[in-house]
Each structure stands twice: as structure tokens, then as C-alpha cells.
Amino acid sequence: AAEAAGAPSTSAAIVKCTVGRGVDDEDRQRTWADDANAALSRNAVATARAILAHSLAAFPTKRSLWLQAVDLERKHGSASSLDEVLAAASERLPRTEIFWLVRAKEKWLAGDVDQSRRILTEAFKANPDSEPVWLAAVKLEWETGEIERARVLLARARERAPTARIYMKSALLERECGQFDKALELLEEGLQKYPTFAKMYMMGGQICSEDLTKDRGNLDRARKFYQRGLQNCQNSVVLWCLASQLEERVAEYGAGSANAGVTKARSLLELARLKNAKNPELWLEAIRLERRAGNEKLAVSLMARALQECPSSGLLLAENISTSPRVEQKSKSADAIKRRPDDPRVISAVAGLFASERK
């Protein structure tokens, strides 16, 4: 009532004197968190802020309360009040990375890159082995055009806190700078340590097949990346699809006919489905391969088999609607809606059909 009457300071003072009355010690944190949410639901921001301040004084190391306070300031406070809460949270919980990262990002978005760097430097001191902190620092330098700084940070990260993602980001930086040999060298180094990280095989194959000269030598290098990847990551659907798409395009590398490429791609996808049964993405890739090759009857046959194996796949049902002959689309749509009424892909496909008929 005091806040509604335009006296937020009075409201805060009342909270300070009364918030702890009649609350059992073991229920204080939960009760006060609920009270703060209830106050916000009445648009009593100052009251909610006061309740959370009291709660944090009693429970200064409770991550959930600090997150609640940060959320309040982000939605209802100013940039300075948000920064104050984030700074306090980082001080109380220095090993909780999220507060450092959010504070650094807020400063960056406000255009204060130097202050963002300083915050991340403090975060490093508290979390020297943290992958998210290293990657946040790299992103800051990368996106502000300080490529050499980003490169140095990644080199340090590989020494002090090596992870698969650190190696992948290192290779990605070199790839984007056009240093393809260096990128491949980093990928090989990373794969020696993390042989089951599928994304590094993907990037290696893509560099060899897309960024380097399209010839037989680079085709073989790309194949080797994908083959090694599939030996270590048999459940990676994306890897299977990339390997298949590479074989489909062998003619572009002067290494065979288009038909031979499609045959090899088809075999790869059949093997992929044997090792990953009931996978809609692999079925869809096989269906689209046949359509790209002009084998419409085989594509229709594959779709029927796919829907037998994955009858509730929104992905396949939506594709079936959009690729069926016009006279069949209504019945396909009705069947898809019946099977998956809440699937966004099915709804989108049906909506597209209605739009094409101007309904």
C-alpha cells in the first residue's frame, strides 16, 4: 500500500521490519522468494527489491536468490542497478560463472569494451579453468575485430584449460581468417585429445571439401575426416549426412560420374540407418537424395517406408505434405494433423497448403 501511494522508501522500511515475522527458519528462503514474486505480480517493484535484499543478507551464497535479484533489475531496474547486483553476486559467488559473464556482456552491449575486459580478467582469477569464461573473452575480442588478441587467448586456453570446444573455436577462428592449413592442424591436434567430438570431424571435412581447391586430393582428405568421424561417432546424424552429400558431389572434384556419386551416397545412408534405426533425419536425407537425383518413384517408396518406421515424425509428415501431388495433399494433411496435432512443422506445412489455396 505504501508503494502504491508513492512511498517506496516507506514500503522498504516496512519490509525490513516485518518480513521475518512468523516465518520458520527453515522456510525463510522459499517464503521470501515467493513473497518477492507476489510483490512483483502487483507491480510493487520496490517492495520486491527490499524483500530480496533482506533475503540475500540472510542467505548471501544462494545462487537462486541472486538470479532472482538479477532478473528483477534487468526487467525493472536501470543499467547501474543491474550492474550493482551482478557485481555483488560475483563477489559473493566468485566461482559461479554466470554472474561474471552476464555483467561482462551487459558492459559490452553498452559499448564499454574495456570494462567488459576488466570484468572477464577478474573472472579468470576466480575461474582459471572455466571454458565459458575463456570463450566469452575470445568472443569479445573476436567480435570487436581484435583477432590477434582472440588468437592469443585461445592459445592460452589450449594450454591452461583445454577442451574440445576450445580446440573447435581455435580452428574456426583460423578458418574464418582464411588460414586453412592452421585450422586443419588445430583440428588434428584436438582430435588426438578428443576423438569422439563429432564437430571437429565435420569442420575438417568441410574445410577440405568447400574451402580448398576442388580436386581429388582434397576430396580424399575430406573423406578421411568423415570416415574417421563415423568410426568414432556412429550416432552422429549430421556426420552421416555430410559424408553422403560429399559422395553425391564427387563429379565436382573430377572423381567420377554423378550417378556413381549418388550410388555411393545411397549406400552410406543405408548403412547409417542400419546403425541408427528409426531416425527421421536419416530417412529424410535419403528421400531428398533421390529427389535431387530425379528418382521420384524411389523417393515416394522411401517415404512410405520411413513413415512405417517413424509414424509420428513431424519432420517426415511435413515433408510428405509438401512433396505429395496436389490432389493428395489434403488427405496427407488431415492424416498428419491427426497423428501430430501440436507439431510446429506439421502445422507450418498445413498452413502453407492453405496459403497456396488462398484460404
Side-chain angles (χ1 to χ4, degrees), residues 2-21:
E3 184 170 351
S9 298
T10 302
S11 173
I14 293 170
V15 166
K16 186 175 181 180
C17 293
T18 62
V19 73
R21 292 183 181 177

Side-chain angles (χ1 to χ4, degrees), residues 36-338:
N37 286 329
L40 278 178
S41 70
R42 301 191 302 272
N43 204 32
V45 176
T47 302
R49 187 179 283 122
I51 293 170
L52 285 173
H54 185 87
S55 303
L56 287 166
F59 302 103
T61 58
K62 290 296 182 181
R63 181 176 182 271
S64 60
L65 287 175
W66 283 111
L67 287 171
Q68 194 173 350
V70 167
D71 189 56
L72 183 149
E73 298 303 337
R74 179 183 280 121
K75 292 177 179 176
H76 305 285
S78 62
S80 61
S81 67
L82 174 59
D83 187 63
E84 287 173 9
V85 170
L86 287 167
S90 300
E91 182 181 346
R92 289 290 189 176
L93 297 168
R95 298 286 293 173
T96 303
E97 301 148 342
I98 184 66
F99 300 119
W100 295 107
L101 298 177
V102 172
R103 190 180 179 213
K105 185 175 182 180
E106 292 293 332
K107 289 295 183 184
W108 176 19
L109 293 176
D112 194 346
V113 175
D114 288 339
Q115 181 61 15
S116 182
R117 281 195 188 107
R118 283 192 285 272
I119 291 166
L120 289 171
T121 299
E122 292 299 313
F124 278 129
K125 293 176 183 177
N127 303 275
D129 301 325
S130 169
E131 178 192 271
V133 172
W134 280 105
L135 291 180
V138 169
K139 183 178 181 181
L140 174 67
E141 304 301 348
W142 193 336
E143 297 199 7
T144 53
E146 297 287 349
I147 299 300
E148 196 53 43
R149 282 183 183 232
R151 188 176 276 126
V152 169
L153 280 170
L154 284 165
R156 289 179 185 167
R158 293 195 303 274
E159 292 174 5
R160 300 179 189 178
T163 66
R165 287 188 69 213
I166 293 288
Y167 273 95
M168 189 184 73
K169 291 292 184 183
S170 300
L172 182 60
L173 175 65
E174 300 302 339
R175 183 185 184 189
E176 292 203 357
C177 293
Q179 302 296 317
F180 303 125
D181 288 341
K182 180 62 176 175
L184 290 170
E185 181 184 322
L186 286 165
L187 288 172
E188 290 290 0
E189 187 180 330
L191 287 169
Q192 291 297 314
K193 297 182 178 183
Y194 309 101
T196 59
F197 193 71
K199 288 185 178 180
M200 284 197 278
Y201 296 107
M202 295 177 200
M203 191 186 298
Q206 288 170 329
I207 290 172
C208 293
S209 63
E210 297 173 14
D211 298 329
L212 301 180
T213 306
K214 288 191 174 183
D215 57 32
R216 286 177 179 244
N218 288 326
L219 172 66
D220 288 339
R221 292 172 76 186
R223 276 175 170 157
K224 286 177 182 176
F225 266 107
Y226 292 145
Q227 287 166 0
R228 287 162 57 200
L230 292 173
Q231 287 171 0
N232 290 293
C233 315
Q234 292 189 4
N235 295 327
S236 174
V237 171
V238 177
L239 256 180
W240 283 107
C241 291
L242 286 173
S244 167
Q245 289 162 13
L246 179 67
E247 296 302 336
E248 185 184 357
R249 304 195 314 270
V250 291
E252 298 175 18
Y253 302 85
S257 67
N259 286 338
V262 170
T263 301
K264 183 69 179 292
R266 185 184 295 129
S267 298
L268 264 177
L269 290 172
E270 287 172 357
L271 180 60
R273 295 198 304 275
L274 282 174
K275 293 182 180 293
N276 299 274
K278 298 185 178 180
N279 188 288
E281 288 84 1
L282 289 172
W283 277 109
L284 182 61
E285 184 64 24
I287 291 162
R288 289 179 174 175
L289 169 67
E290 300 305 339
R291 286 210 162 92
R292 290 193 295 268
N295 300 322
E296 185 62 29
K297 288 185 178 179
L298 186 51
V300 171
S301 173
L302 281 172
M303 176 62 79
R305 289 171 55 199
L307 287 172
Q308 283 183 335
E309 188 168 297
C310 310
S312 299
S313 168
L315 184 68
L316 292 171
L317 290 167
E319 180 81 0
N320 197 30
I321 293 169
S322 61
T323 58
S324 291
R326 196 167 189 81
V327 293
E328 297 178 12
Q329 285 181 321
K330 285 186 179 179
S331 61
K332 303 285 187 186
S333 297
D335 179 57
I337 288 289
K338 184 178 179 181

